Amino acid sequence: MNKIVVAIDGYSSCGKSTTAKIVAKELHYAYIDTGAMYRAVTLYFQEHYIDLTNPKKVSQALQEIHISFERNARTQRNEVFLNGLNVEDEIRKMYISNKVSEVSVIPEVRHCLVKQQQKMGKKRGVVMDGRDIGTTVFPDAEVKVFMTADVYTRAQRRQQELLLNGEMVPLDEIKENLEKRDRIDSTRKESPLVQAADAKLLDTSHITIDEQVDFVLNMVAAKIFQSEYTESDKC
Ligand code: DC
């Protein structure tokens, strides 16, 4: 079967990236963390004091931004670069999390990043995670998963990630940030966070990473089997 697109959407810190990374590795597909792209734009806007209420300034700034992903052989991670500079750790910090949803509602930002993401997945063979992959970026994705989990579990997971990045943030503050981002992401006008009609819901509150990965890989296998069966069925 030809290569497919696997779209993994859902709420913040449900384990989307962790799952997507492993699935991509198993399938020998590229992994694209679209949240990292919104975070990189947020970092640039912060560093250059861009007025988010001025569409002209926002559009001008977007012209100056080049985002790329590179594999780090030492950490085995796909890391994000902003204008040639590795910003993987910086964009995960709390001050970026506190601002990123505000930047993600801006139509100019969304148009620009959606276009880049569509280009990155044009040849298919990608696992992409985000908020609008199955609805806007690749509405024709062959496999669509929508992840959710209870907010307390998500906050605990996020706290662990931040700790590994050297930042100690109280659980309440993280929980508040997740709830605020969920609210902004789900209610924005442009490509809001919603489950695509043909996406399968996966609640990760009480399951392991291996189970999450198996869920997605089983969907991929079923899709491939279905398509091969349909093809071989033809005279
Ligand atoms: O996946 P993440 O938590 O790193 O994403 C950070 C923010 O980026 C999230 O709160 C909303 C935004 N985002 C988006 O609007 N659309 C996407 N496809 C991915 C992320």
Side-chain angles (χ1 to χ4, degrees):
M1 186 198 179
N2 290 333
K3 289 189 166 182
I4 64 170
V5 172
V6 180
I8 303 181
D9 289 305
Y11 295 99
S12 306
S13 301
C14 285
K16 297 189 300 293
S17 304
T18 311
T19 308
K21 260 180 231 168
I22 303 173
V23 169
K25 202 171 165 207
E26 292 284 325
L27 297 173
H28 301 284
Y29 278 15
Y31 162 59
I32 297 165
D33 173 358
T34 62
M37 298 173 78
Y38 286 91
R39 286 174 180 270
V41 169
T42 305
L43 175 62
Y44 185 93
F45 284 2
Q46 289 272 98
E47 285 180 341
H48 293 81
Y49 305 99
I50 305 299
D51 176 3
L52 303 183
T53 63
N54 185 333
K56 207 169 153 202
K57 293 269 181 231
V58 165
S59 294
Q60 274 169 359
L62 286 167
Q63 298 297 314
E64 306 295 322
I65 297 177
H66 177 70
I67 299 168
S68 56
F69 291 95
E70 276 180 37
R71 183 133 195 96
N72 181 327
R74 191 178 52 81
T75 59
Q76 297 279 305
R77 285 194 311 185
N78 224 11
E79 299 183 336
V80 65
F81 284 69
L82 171 63
N83 293 337
L85 207 76
N86 188 330
V87 292
E88 179 62 34
D89 289 337
E90 197 61 27
I91 59 163
R92 309 288 165 192
K93 292 188 176 162
M94 208 55 199
Y95 78 99
I96 297 293
S97 296
N98 284 332
K99 204 77 191 164
V100 65
S101 280
E102 216 179 300
V103 169
S104 311
V105 300
I106 303 171
E108 288 78 7
V109 172
R110 299 211 72 79
H111 295 165
C112 173
L113 294 188
V114 166
K115 218 162 91 186
Q116 285 184 34
Q117 290 153 11
Q118 288 171 334
K119 219 163 136 190
M120 289 171 170
K122 209 172 85 185
K123 293 187 182 153
R124 309 192 87 78
V126 289
V127 182
M128 226 178 243
D129 78 11
R131 304 293 187 288
D132 58 344
I133 311 304
T135 52
T136 305
V137 183
F138 284 104
D140 62 345
E142 288 81 356
V143 169
K144 296 183 188 179
V145 180
F146 190 86
M147 281 193 185
T148 182
D150 73 69
V151 72
Y152 188 71
T153 309
R154 293 194 277 138
Q156 281 179 318
R157 288 176 185 163
R158 186 86 190 106
Q159 192 180 43
Q160 286 304 314
E161 278 169 20
L162 286 164
L163 261 180
L164 287 175
N165 206 5
E167 221 180 337
M168 175 59 208
V169 185
L171 206 60
D172 279 354
E173 191 185 326
I174 297 174
K175 192 169 158 278
E176 220 171 274
N177 169 264
L178 292 180
E179 285 170 336
K180 185 177 168 209
R181 280 203 284 145
D182 288 348
R183 195 173 51 248
I184 300 176
D185 295 345
S186 313
T187 56
R188 65 176 176 235
K189 265 202 183 129
E190 194 95 14
S191 56
L193 168 67
V194 284
Q195 182 179 348
D198 50 351
K200 268 202 179 170
L201 184 69
L202 176 62
D203 186 333
T204 67
S205 307
H206 306 290
I207 61 171
T208 63
I209 292 168
D210 282 349
E211 287 169 325
Q212 292 167 205
V213 170
D214 284 349
F215 181 92
V216 183
L217 287 177
N218 284 337
M219 281 180 77
V220 172
K223 195 80 206 174
I224 290 174
F225 175 78
Q226 185 193 31
S227 112
E228 281 175 0
Y229 185 74
T230 316
E231 274 166 30
S232 64
D233 213 20
K234 288 175 195 150
C235 293

